[in-house]
Each structure stands twice: as C-alpha cells, then as structure tokens.
Amino acid sequence: MTTKARLRDTFALVTGASTGIGAATAERLAASGAHLALVARSADKLDDLAARLTRDHGVTVRTFPLDLAAAAAPTRLVKELADAGVEVEVLVNNAGVSDGGPVLDGDPARFRSMIDLNVTALTELTALLVPAMVARGHGAVVNVASTGGYLPAPYLAVYAATKAYVLSFTQALWAEIRDTGVRVVAVSPGPTETPMNPRGSRSADAVAATVLRALSGTSPAVIDGRANALVAFLFGRLLPRRLGLSIARRVMASGKF
Ligand SMILES: NC(=O)c1ccc[n+]([C@@H]2O[C@H](COP(=O)([O-])OP(=O)(O)OC[C@H]3O[C@@H](n4cnc5c(N)ncnc54)[C@H](OP(=O)(O)O)[C@@H]3O)[C@@H](O)[C@H]2O)c1
C-alpha cells in the first residue's frame, strides 16, 4: 500500500492536470512532497501550474504537453518519461472528456475520440507503467471513473459507458495484483465544479482529497462524497434496472446534469 511517506520524493504522473480535478490532485500530491509529471494538451497551463507548485512546495515538476487521444500517445509519453529519468511511483489516470446528447444525434468521430481518451489511453498507460511497479513491489494507480459509471446514463450514454469500463477494468486489476504491494483504486466523483461541469456541487479540491485518502486505503473503488455514494448505491444496486433507467432518463432530459 502506498502511504504519504512513499509519496515524498517519488514521481506522481497526473494526466489531465491542466485544470479541474487533475490540477487539484497535483496540488495535493505536491503538498505531500511528491515530484510531478503533468500531462494535458495545454502546455501554457501546465507550465503555469508547474511553476506555482515548484514555488509553493519545493518539488520538481516536469510537464509533458500531449494529446493522449492520439494513436500511440501513451507509448510516446512513457518513452519521454524514461528519457527524462522519471520513474512513476503513482499514476493518476484523470484525463477525460464528456460529450452529451442523444446517441442518434451524436458524431461517431467524437464518440471514438472520447473512448480513445477515457478508455484506451487509461488502459495503455496502466499496462505500460504497472509492470515496473509490480517488479519494485510498490506503487499506485488511481483511475478516475464517475458515479455515472454505476448506471447507464441516457443522453450521456457513451461517457457513462466509458466510466463503467474504468470501474470494471480497475477493480479487475485490483484483484489481479492485490498481493504485489501495488495499490489500485477507481475513484468516482459525482457532479464536481470544473470546466467540464461548471454547475457541479462538489469542489475539485474535495475530490483531490478523496484521491489522496484512496491512495492509502485498501478498497478497489471509492466514491467521492456521501450523497454521491448514496445515489450510486440507489441507482446502481438498489433500484430495479428498468425503474432506475426511467428515472435517469427523466433527470438527464431535464438538463440539470
Ligand atoms: N466534473 C465532474 O462533474 C466529473 C464527474 C465525474 C467524473 N469526472 C471525471 O474527472 C476527470 C477530470 O475531469 P474534470 O471535471 O476535472 O474536467 P476538466 O477540468 O475538463 O479536465 C479535463 C482534463 O483532461 C485534459 N484533457 C482533455 N482532453 C485531453 C487529451 N486529448 N489529451 C490529454 N489531456 C486531455 C484537459 O486538459 P487539456 O484540455 O489542456 O488537454 C484537462 O486537464 C475526468 O476523467 C472526468 O470524466 C468529472
């Protein structure tokens, strides 16, 4: 299990670190003494954040501006990390995009690029970086899912399906390597106020605090916030699926999420 002590002076890789939950998580990791490798497409935002975290926390921050949805981007990133001498102790697969609306009105190319980022890049980075952690006998992976992954979401169908994948994949990996010393956990935020969701009710920093707590826990899946945990339990486990889907359809059609 990775503890706060193990974060100190090791490198944490955070994808989607330029804004929102990723930036807040990078800040909390830096406050715990971790050096950082930050990934997103916006080089300027990454550089601003890196300068601030180095100044405020005295940690080393390397930036890797990259479109993770591009073919072979995870492989390229891992090579760049190796060339920079960065050994990843903690991987936070946070980068994600959300695109809503009826499936029949959707653009298949946008669906593909959402899956490329939310599913493929997350899977490839995990597969590329975890073997070295297992060989060392320590390390951690946090995959950012969503409460939307606990129930199919009408009008957010592809996004919710990508997050159901993240939940399933992460929990299976947790079971596969639970005795290796490497911590694996899916963290699911609910609606969180970020550029992705300006009307979210939780703060990005609250989710980041949950990510840090999840790192030192043992559960394969953690939900941020009690109300979100209740909603996920209600819709994911308690309600009959048809009833849950009918309610979800009405709620999602109202445009409040
Ligand atoms: N906010 C919510 O209500 C909520 C709820 C549940 C789950 N989540 C999940 O939380 C995670 C973070 O979301 P957020 O709310 O913090 O959203 P956000 O502020 O929009 O952050 C998304 C991050 O991903 C990066 N990104 C987007 N496309 C990318 C690409 N092709 N390659 C590399 N980086 C890319 C963005 O940076 P660039 O644009 O600079 O590339 C940004 O840093 C996501 O996985 C999201 O699904 C969010």
Side-chain angles (χ1 to χ4, degrees):
M1 183 190 313
T2 298
T3 63
K4 183 169 176 176
R6 190 145 274 174
L7 290 177
R8 188 162 292 284
D9 291 331
T10 62
F11 266 94
L13 169 63
V14 182
T15 70
S18 60
T19 58
I21 292 166
T25 300
E27 170 105 45
R28 287 219 170 228
L29 287 164
S32 298
H35 303 307
L36 293 165
L38 305 180
V39 183
R41 290 165 303 179
S42 313
D44 49 345
K45 287 186 190 158
L46 289 183
D47 288 343
D48 288 350
L49 180 63
R52 187 166 65 74
L53 296 182
T54 299
R55 186 193 65 221
D56 292 354
H57 302 290
V59 295
T60 300
V61 185
R62 308 294 304 261
T63 60
F64 298 85
L66 201 67
D67 179 354
L68 280 172
T75 307
R76 206 164 65 241
L77 172 60
V78 169
K79 183 173 181 319
E80 286 179 23
L81 288 163
D83 290 348
V86 172
E87 186 179 75
V88 176
E89 173 74 7
V90 177
L91 165 62
V92 183
N93 271 313
N94 163 79
V97 284
S98 164
D99 201 1
V103 173
L104 299 190
D105 295 346
D107 173 358
R110 288 174 73 101
F111 290 158
R112 171 184 282 274
S113 104
M114 193 168 14
I115 294 165
D116 285 346
L117 180 64
N118 297 9
V119 171
T120 309
L122 174 144
T123 307
E124 288 186 9
L125 277 178
T126 303
L128 287 163
L129 292 170
V130 169
M133 295 179 193
V134 170
R136 288 196 300 272
H138 54 86
V141 182
V142 178
N143 287 335
V144 177
S146 167
T147 49
Y150 284 82
L151 177 81
Y155 308 114
L156 212 54
V158 178
Y159 173 74
T162 66
K163 294 303 183 175
Y165 173 93
V166 174
L167 273 174
S168 174
F169 168 71
T170 307
Q171 293 179 95
L173 180 64
W174 175 92
E176 285 184 26
I177 65 170
R178 62 180 300 187
D179 299 325
T180 64
V182 177
R183 170 85 178 114
V184 179
V185 59
V187 173
S188 290
T192 304
E193 189 186 355
T194 68
M196 178 187 283
N197 185 1
R199 288 180 297 176
S201 49
R202 298 272 294 175
S203 73
D205 184 58
V207 178
T210 297
V211 168
L212 269 282
R213 271 197 307 277
L215 273 174
S216 55
T218 57
S219 168
V222 170
I223 295 172
D224 172 63
R226 284 201 189 136
N228 291 329
L230 189 64
V231 168
F233 177 70
L234 193 66
F235 283 92
R237 292 253 188 94
L238 204 60
L239 290 180
R241 189 44 59 101
R242 281 174 72 118
L243 178 59
L245 282 170
S246 298
I247 297 171
R249 178 173 184 262
R250 252 176 281 141
V251 170
M252 298 304 288
S254 74
K256 289 190 179 138
F257 284 89

